Amino acid sequence: MSKAQIALLSALALLLAAVISLIAVVATRPAPSAEFVLPPFEEEAQAGIPIGIPVTANYQQLRVNDTFIAGMCGNLAVTDGSADIWLTAPETNAVWIRVLLLDENGRELGSTGLLKAGEYVRRIRLTEQPTETTTVTAKILSYQPETYYSMGSAVAKVQLNVSK
């Protein structure tokens, strides 16, 4: 065999190896994730700021970043399949917000719908009624209005208080 034939065979072998590698990479890629589902707006949203929140609820406002503040309670009274969260989106917010409650394994226990700036909701619906007081994670999500692009998130530990 001539040097030209050996070089040609080597180039073809390298090309074949590259094609096989490409096929292997494409075949082992994870499947695309599920499509984003637009969260609904909160059906029980009220305009303004909440009044009459019990002191024991430990209501606080959290500045998450330059685009938004979220007000909510740290001690959530649980009754009839929901909890008093008093989630508030001040008028100064440039985003829509919502909250997910998650257990220690990251399983969703409840959620609010989206709130626009200048709205609040008293209660968060729970997927199941807890039988005892427990600490959970409140994940605050924010969305750019109209586009639903994420504008950041934050987490806070909150108490689900079950009265006996």
PDB file of all heavy atoms in Angstrom, residues 90-116:
ATOM      1  N   PRO A  90     -46.151  43.514  47.097  1.00  0.00           N
ATOM      2  CA  PRO A  90     -46.314  44.974  47.167  1.00  0.00           C
ATOM      3  C   PRO A  90     -46.431  45.614  45.776  1.00  0.00           C
ATOM      4  O   PRO A  90     -45.969  45.055  44.779  1.00  0.00           O
ATOM      5  CB  PRO A  90     -45.041  45.441  47.869  1.00  0.00           C
ATOM      6  CG  PRO A  90     -44.557  44.246  48.625  1.00  0.00           C
ATOM      7  CD  PRO A  90     -44.951  43.063  47.790  1.00  0.00           C
ATOM      8  N   GLU A  91     -47.029  46.792  45.734  1.00  0.00           N
ATOM      9  CA  GLU A  91     -47.219  47.519  44.467  1.00  0.00           C
ATOM     10  C   GLU A  91     -45.905  47.827  43.766  1.00  0.00           C
ATOM     11  O   GLU A  91     -45.878  48.032  42.553  1.00  0.00           O
ATOM     12  CB  GLU A  91     -47.983  48.821  44.712  1.00  0.00           C
ATOM     13  CG  GLU A  91     -49.448  48.618  44.912  1.00  0.00           C
ATOM     14  CD  GLU A  91     -50.200  49.943  44.946  1.00  0.00           C
ATOM     15  OE1 GLU A  91     -49.651  50.975  44.523  1.00  0.00           O
ATOM     16  OE2 GLU A  91     -51.353  49.921  45.399  1.00  0.00           O
ATOM     17  N   THR A  92     -44.818  47.887  44.515  1.00  0.00           N
ATOM     18  CA  THR A  92     -43.516  48.214  43.927  1.00  0.00           C
ATOM     19  C   THR A  92     -42.908  47.059  43.149  1.00  0.00           C
ATOM     20  O   THR A  92     -41.913  47.255  42.442  1.00  0.00           O
ATOM     21  CB  THR A  92     -42.535  48.638  45.032  1.00  0.00           C
ATOM     22  OG1 THR A  92     -42.438  47.580  45.989  1.00  0.00           O
ATOM     23  CG2 THR A  92     -42.997  49.923  45.712  1.00  0.00           C
ATOM     24  N   ASN A  93     -43.464  45.861  43.250  1.00  0.00           N
ATOM     25  CA  ASN A  93     -42.897  44.706  42.546  1.00  0.00           C
ATOM     26  C   ASN A  93     -42.972  44.870  41.035  1.00  0.00           C
ATOM     27  O   ASN A  93     -43.970  45.357  40.500  1.00  0.00           O
ATOM     28  CB  ASN A  93     -43.625  43.412  42.946  1.00  0.00           C
ATOM     29  CG  ASN A  93     -43.155  42.854  44.260  1.00  0.00           C
ATOM     30  OD1 ASN A  93     -42.303  43.427  44.918  1.00  0.00           O
ATOM     31  ND2 ASN A  93     -43.708  41.713  44.636  1.00  0.00           N
ATOM     32  N   ALA A  94     -41.920  44.412  40.374  1.00  0.00           N
ATOM     33  CA  ALA A  94     -41.892  44.418  38.914  1.00  0.00           C
ATOM     34  C   ALA A  94     -42.177  43.022  38.354  1.00  0.00           C
ATOM     35  O   ALA A  94     -42.000  42.782  37.171  1.00  0.00           O
ATOM     36  CB  ALA A  94     -40.531  44.903  38.424  1.00  0.00           C
ATOM     37  N   VAL A  95     -42.588  42.104  39.233  1.00  0.00           N
ATOM     38  CA  VAL A  95     -42.797  40.711  38.840  1.00  0.00           C
ATOM     39  C   VAL A  95     -44.120  40.197  39.398  1.00  0.00           C
ATOM     40  O   VAL A  95     -44.738  40.823  40.251  1.00  0.00           O
ATOM     41  CB  VAL A  95     -41.656  39.807  39.365  1.00  0.00           C
ATOM     42  CG1 VAL A  95     -40.319  40.223  38.801  1.00  0.00           C
ATOM     43  CG2 VAL A  95     -41.614  39.794  40.888  1.00  0.00           C
ATOM     44  N   TRP A  96     -44.538  39.026  38.911  1.00  0.00           N
ATOM     45  CA  TRP A  96     -45.642  38.273  39.487  1.00  0.00           C
ATOM     46  C   TRP A  96     -45.003  37.212  40.378  1.00  0.00           C
ATOM     47  O   TRP A  96     -43.940  36.670  40.044  1.00  0.00           O
ATOM     48  CB  TRP A  96     -46.467  37.597  38.405  1.00  0.00           C
ATOM     49  CG  TRP A  96     -47.169  38.547  37.463  1.00  0.00           C
ATOM     50  CD1 TRP A  96     -47.529  39.841  37.702  1.00  0.00           C
ATOM     51  CD2 TRP A  96     -47.594  38.258  36.135  1.00  0.00           C
ATOM     52  NE1 TRP A  96     -48.162  40.375  36.606  1.00  0.00           N
ATOM     53  CE2 TRP A  96     -48.219  39.419  35.628  1.00  0.00           C
ATOM     54  CE3 TRP A  96     -47.528  37.141  35.318  1.00  0.00           C
ATOM     55  CZ2 TRP A  96     -48.760  39.483  34.352  1.00  0.00           C
ATOM     56  CZ3 TRP A  96     -48.062  37.205  34.054  1.00  0.00           C
ATOM     57  CH2 TRP A  96     -48.679  38.369  33.572  1.00  0.00           C
ATOM     58  N   ILE A  97     -45.629  36.894  41.515  1.00  0.00           N
ATOM     59  CA  ILE A  97     -45.047  35.904  42.422  1.00  0.00           C
ATOM     60  C   ILE A  97     -46.063  34.820  42.778  1.00  0.00           C
ATOM     61  O   ILE A  97     -47.269  34.999  42.622  1.00  0.00           O
ATOM     62  CB  ILE A  97     -44.507  36.540  43.720  1.00  0.00           C
ATOM     63  CG1 ILE A  97     -45.624  37.176  44.558  1.00  0.00           C
ATOM     64  CG2 ILE A  97     -43.404  37.542  43.416  1.00  0.00           C
ATOM     65  CD1 ILE A  97     -45.194  37.624  45.947  1.00  0.00           C
ATOM     66  N   ARG A  98     -45.521  33.705  43.263  1.00  0.00           N
ATOM     67  CA  ARG A  98     -46.327  32.614  43.819  1.00  0.00           C
ATOM     68  C   ARG A  98     -45.464  31.849  44.798  1.00  0.00           C
ATOM     69  O   ARG A  98     -44.243  32.023  44.821  1.00  0.00           O
ATOM     70  CB  ARG A  98     -46.869  31.706  42.731  1.00  0.00           C
ATOM     71  CG  ARG A  98     -45.818  30.873  42.024  1.00  0.00           C
ATOM     72  CD  ARG A  98     -46.378  30.073  40.867  1.00  0.00           C
ATOM     73  NE  ARG A  98     -47.313  29.083  41.312  1.00  0.00           N
ATOM     74  CZ  ARG A  98     -47.210  27.792  41.028  1.00  0.00           C
ATOM     75  NH1 ARG A  98     -46.231  27.343  40.279  1.00  0.00           N
ATOM     76  NH2 ARG A  98     -48.101  26.935  41.481  1.00  0.00           N
ATOM     77  N   VAL A  99     -46.085  31.004  45.609  1.00  0.00           N
ATOM     78  CA  VAL A  99     -45.354  30.214  46.597  1.00  0.00           C
ATOM     79  C   VAL A  99     -45.731  28.746  46.477  1.00  0.00           C
ATOM     80  O   VAL A  99     -46.906  28.408  46.282  1.00  0.00           O
ATOM     81  CB  VAL A  99     -45.641  30.706  48.032  1.00  0.00           C
ATOM     82  CG1 VAL A  99     -45.159  29.716  49.076  1.00  0.00           C
ATOM     83  CG2 VAL A  99     -44.980  32.045  48.273  1.00  0.00           C
ATOM     84  N   LEU A 100     -44.728  27.889  46.610  1.00  0.00           N
ATOM     85  CA  LEU A 100     -44.919  26.448  46.738  1.00  0.00           C
ATOM     86  C   LEU A 100     -44.475  26.055  48.134  1.00  0.00           C
ATOM     87  O   LEU A 100     -43.427  26.521  48.600  1.00  0.00           O
ATOM     88  CB  LEU A 100     -44.056  25.681  45.731  1.00  0.00           C
ATOM     89  CG  LEU A 100     -44.162  26.034  44.256  1.00  0.00           C
ATOM     90  CD1 LEU A 100     -43.149  25.240  43.448  1.00  0.00           C
ATOM     91  CD2 LEU A 100     -45.557  25.763  43.757  1.00  0.00           C
ATOM     92  N   LEU A 101     -45.226  25.206  48.809  1.00  0.00           N
ATOM     93  CA  LEU A 101     -44.790  24.626  50.076  1.00  0.00           C
ATOM     94  C   LEU A 101     -44.281  23.222  49.784  1.00  0.00           C
ATOM     95  O   LEU A 101     -44.966  22.429  49.125  1.00  0.00           O
ATOM     96  CB  LEU A 101     -45.938  24.558  51.082  1.00  0.00           C
ATOM     97  CG  LEU A 101     -46.467  25.883  51.605  1.00  0.00           C
ATOM     98  CD1 LEU A 101     -47.565  25.637  52.642  1.00  0.00           C
ATOM     99  CD2 LEU A 101     -45.365  26.739  52.201  1.00  0.00           C
ATOM    100  N   LEU A 102     -43.076  22.919  50.276  1.00  0.00           N
ATOM    101  CA  LEU A 102     -42.426  21.642  50.004  1.00  0.00           C
ATOM    102  C   LEU A 102     -42.055  20.946  51.299  1.00  0.00           C
ATOM    103  O   LEU A 102     -41.573  21.598  52.240  1.00  0.00           O
ATOM    104  CB  LEU A 102     -41.157  21.862  49.169  1.00  0.00           C
ATOM    105  CG  LEU A 102     -41.319  22.694  47.892  1.00  0.00           C
ATOM    106  CD1 LEU A 102     -39.962  23.045  47.316  1.00  0.00           C
ATOM    107  CD2 LEU A 102     -42.161  21.945  46.885  1.00  0.00           C
ATOM    108  N   ASP A 103     -42.213  19.613  51.346  1.00  0.00           N
ATOM    109  CA  ASP A 103     -41.787  18.874  52.529  1.00  0.00           C
ATOM    110  C   ASP A 103     -40.280  18.639  52.472  1.00  0.00           C
ATOM    111  O   ASP A 103     -39.606  19.102  51.533  1.00  0.00           O
ATOM    112  CB  ASP A 103     -42.572  17.575  52.693  1.00  0.00           C
ATOM    113  CG  ASP A 103     -42.264  16.506  51.638  1.00  0.00           C
ATOM    114  OD1 ASP A 103     -41.307  16.664  50.843  1.00  0.00           O
ATOM    115  OD2 ASP A 103     -42.995  15.500  51.609  1.00  0.00           O
ATOM    116  N   GLU A 104     -39.736  17.924  53.447  1.00  0.00           N
ATOM    117  CA  GLU A 104     -38.282  17.719  53.526  1.00  0.00           C
ATOM    118  C   GLU A 104     -37.722  16.931  52.353  1.00  0.00           C
ATOM    119  O   GLU A 104     -36.528  16.975  52.074  1.00  0.00           O
ATOM    120  CB  GLU A 104     -37.899  17.031  54.851  1.00  0.00           C
ATOM    121  CG  GLU A 104     -38.399  15.613  55.000  1.00  0.00           C
ATOM    122  CD  GLU A 104     -39.847  15.501  55.486  1.00  0.00           C
ATOM    123  OE1 GLU A 104     -40.484  16.518  55.773  1.00  0.00           O
ATOM    124  OE2 GLU A 104     -40.346  14.367  55.565  1.00  0.00           O
ATOM    125  N   ASN A 105     -38.581  16.234  51.596  1.00  0.00           N
ATOM    126  CA  ASN A 105     -38.145  15.483  50.414  1.00  0.00           C
ATOM    127  C   ASN A 105     -38.384  16.247  49.118  1.00  0.00           C
ATOM    128  O   ASN A 105     -38.177  15.709  48.030  1.00  0.00           O
ATOM    129  CB  ASN A 105     -38.872  14.134  50.351  1.00  0.00           C
ATOM    130  CG  ASN A 105     -38.551  13.272  51.545  1.00  0.00           C
ATOM    131  OD1 ASN A 105     -37.393  13.186  51.969  1.00  0.00           O
ATOM    132  ND2 ASN A 105     -39.560  12.660  52.124  1.00  0.00           N
ATOM    133  N   GLY A 106     -38.832  17.491  49.223  1.00  0.00           N
ATOM    134  CA  GLY A 106     -39.083  18.298  48.032  1.00  0.00           C
ATOM    135  C   GLY A 106     -40.438  18.049  47.398  1.00  0.00           C
ATOM    136  O   GLY A 106     -40.725  18.562  46.326  1.00  0.00           O
ATOM    137  N   ARG A 107     -41.287  17.278  48.060  1.00  0.00           N
ATOM    138  CA  ARG A 107     -42.624  16.979  47.544  1.00  0.00           C
ATOM    139  C   ARG A 107     -43.539  18.173  47.805  1.00  0.00           C
ATOM    140  O   ARG A 107     -43.550  18.730  48.898  1.00  0.00           O
ATOM    141  CB  ARG A 107     -43.171  15.732  48.231  1.00  0.00           C
ATOM    142  CG  ARG A 107     -44.461  15.210  47.654  1.00  0.00           C
ATOM    143  CD  ARG A 107     -44.821  13.874  48.290  1.00  0.00           C
ATOM    144  NE  ARG A 107     -44.996  14.027  49.721  1.00  0.00           N
ATOM    145  CZ  ARG A 107     -46.179  14.056  50.335  1.00  0.00           C
ATOM    146  NH1 ARG A 107     -47.282  13.934  49.650  1.00  0.00           N
ATOM    147  NH2 ARG A 107     -46.244  14.207  51.644  1.00  0.00           N
ATOM    148  N   GLU A 108     -44.308  18.566  46.800  1.00  0.00           N
ATOM    149  CA  GLU A 108     -45.178  19.738  46.932  1.00  0.00           C
ATOM    150  C   GLU A 108     -46.354  19.435  47.847  1.00  0.00           C
ATOM    151  O   GLU A 108     -47.079  18.459  47.662  1.00  0.00           O
ATOM    152  CB  GLU A 108     -45.692  20.172  45.560  1.00  0.00           C
ATOM    153  CG  GLU A 108     -46.472  21.465  45.614  1.00  0.00           C
ATOM    154  CD  GLU A 108     -46.922  21.943  44.242  1.00  0.00           C
ATOM    155  OE1 GLU A 108     -46.113  21.919  43.303  1.00  0.00           O
ATOM    156  OE2 GLU A 108     -48.100  22.334  44.148  1.00  0.00           O
ATOM    157  N   LEU A 109     -46.540  20.303  48.849  1.00  0.00           N
ATOM    158  CA  LEU A 109     -47.646  20.173  49.805  1.00  0.00           C
ATOM    159  C   LEU A 109     -48.774  21.154  49.517  1.00  0.00           C
ATOM    160  O   LEU A 109     -49.881  20.985  50.013  1.00  0.00           O
ATOM    161  CB  LEU A 109     -47.140  20.406  51.231  1.00  0.00           C
ATOM    162  CG  LEU A 109     -46.057  19.457  51.728  1.00  0.00           C
ATOM    163  CD1 LEU A 109     -45.568  19.886  53.089  1.00  0.00           C
ATOM    164  CD2 LEU A 109     -46.571  18.036  51.758  1.00  0.00           C
ATOM    165  N   GLY A 110     -48.475  22.191  48.755  1.00  0.00           N
ATOM    166  CA  GLY A 110     -49.479  23.194  48.438  1.00  0.00           C
ATOM    167  C   GLY A 110     -48.884  24.310  47.613  1.00  0.00           C
ATOM    168  O   GLY A 110     -47.659  24.412  47.492  1.00  0.00           O
ATOM    169  N   SER A 111     -49.755  25.129  47.037  1.00  0.00           N
ATOM    170  CA  SER A 111     -49.266  26.248  46.220  1.00  0.00           C
ATOM    171  C   SER A 111     -50.324  27.330  46.129  1.00  0.00           C
ATOM    172  O   SER A 111     -51.511  27.069  46.306  1.00  0.00           O
ATOM    173  CB  SER A 111     -48.898  25.767  44.813  1.00  0.00           C
ATOM    174  OG  SER A 111     -50.052  25.313  44.136  1.00  0.00           O
ATOM    175  N   THR A 112     -49.845  28.519  45.860  1.00  0.00           N
ATOM    176  CA  THR A 112     -50.753  29.622  45.552  1.00  0.00           C
ATOM    177  C   THR A 112     -50.725  29.808  44.041  1.00  0.00           C
ATOM    178  O   THR A 112     -49.822  29.314  43.361  1.00  0.00           O
ATOM    179  CB  THR A 112     -50.309  30.944  46.203  1.00  0.00           C
ATOM    180  OG1 THR A 112     -49.095  31.376  45.599  1.00  0.00           O
ATOM    181  CG2 THR A 112     -50.149  30.810  47.702  1.00  0.00           C
ATOM    182  N   GLY A 113     -51.678  30.558  43.540  1.00  0.00           N
ATOM    183  CA  GLY A 113     -51.617  30.997  42.160  1.00  0.00           C
ATOM    184  C   GLY A 113     -50.746  32.243  42.089  1.00  0.00           C
ATOM    185  O   GLY A 113     -50.205  32.711  43.102  1.00  0.00           O
ATOM    186  N   LEU A 114     -50.598  32.780  40.909  1.00  0.00           N
ATOM    187  CA  LEU A 114     -49.798  33.994  40.715  1.00  0.00           C
ATOM    188  C   LEU A 114     -50.483  35.214  41.307  1.00  0.00           C
ATOM    189  O   LEU A 114     -51.700  35.367  41.209  1.00  0.00           O
ATOM    190  CB  LEU A 114     -49.595  34.254  39.224  1.00  0.00           C
ATOM    191  CG  LEU A 114     -48.602  33.381  38.484  1.00  0.00           C
ATOM    192  CD1 LEU A 114     -48.660  33.693  36.992  1.00  0.00           C
ATOM    193  CD2 LEU A 114     -47.215  33.567  39.015  1.00  0.00           C
ATOM    194  N   LEU A 115     -49.673  36.065  41.900  1.00  0.00           N
ATOM    195  CA  LEU A 115     -50.139  37.361  42.379  1.00  0.00           C
ATOM    196  C   LEU A 115     -49.454  38.451  41.571  1.00  0.00           C
ATOM    197  O   LEU A 115     -48.243  38.393  41.347  1.00  0.00           O
ATOM    198  CB  LEU A 115     -49.785  37.563  43.853  1.00  0.00           C
ATOM    199  CG  LEU A 115     -50.491  36.697  44.872  1.00  0.00           C
ATOM    200  CD1 LEU A 115     -49.979  37.032  46.271  1.00  0.00           C
ATOM    201  CD2 LEU A 115     -51.989  36.861  44.802  1.00  0.00           C
ATOM    202  N   LYS A 116     -50.225  39.439  41.162  1.00  0.00           N
ATOM    203  CA  LYS A 116     -49.664  40.619  40.507  1.00  0.00           C
ATOM    204  C   LYS A 116     -49.245  41.610  41.579  1.00  0.00           C
ATOM    205  O   LYS A 116     -49.658  41.499  42.741  1.00  0.00           O
ATOM    206  CB  LYS A 116     -50.703  41.255  39.586  1.00  0.00           C
ATOM    207  CG  LYS A 116     -51.121  40.375  38.430  1.00  0.00           C
ATOM    208  CD  LYS A 116     -52.216  41.038  37.621  1.00  0.00           C
ATOM    209  CE  LYS A 116     -52.682  40.137  36.493  1.00  0.00           C
ATOM    210  NZ  LYS A 116     -53.798  40.733  35.750  1.00  0.00           N
TER     211      LYS A 116
END
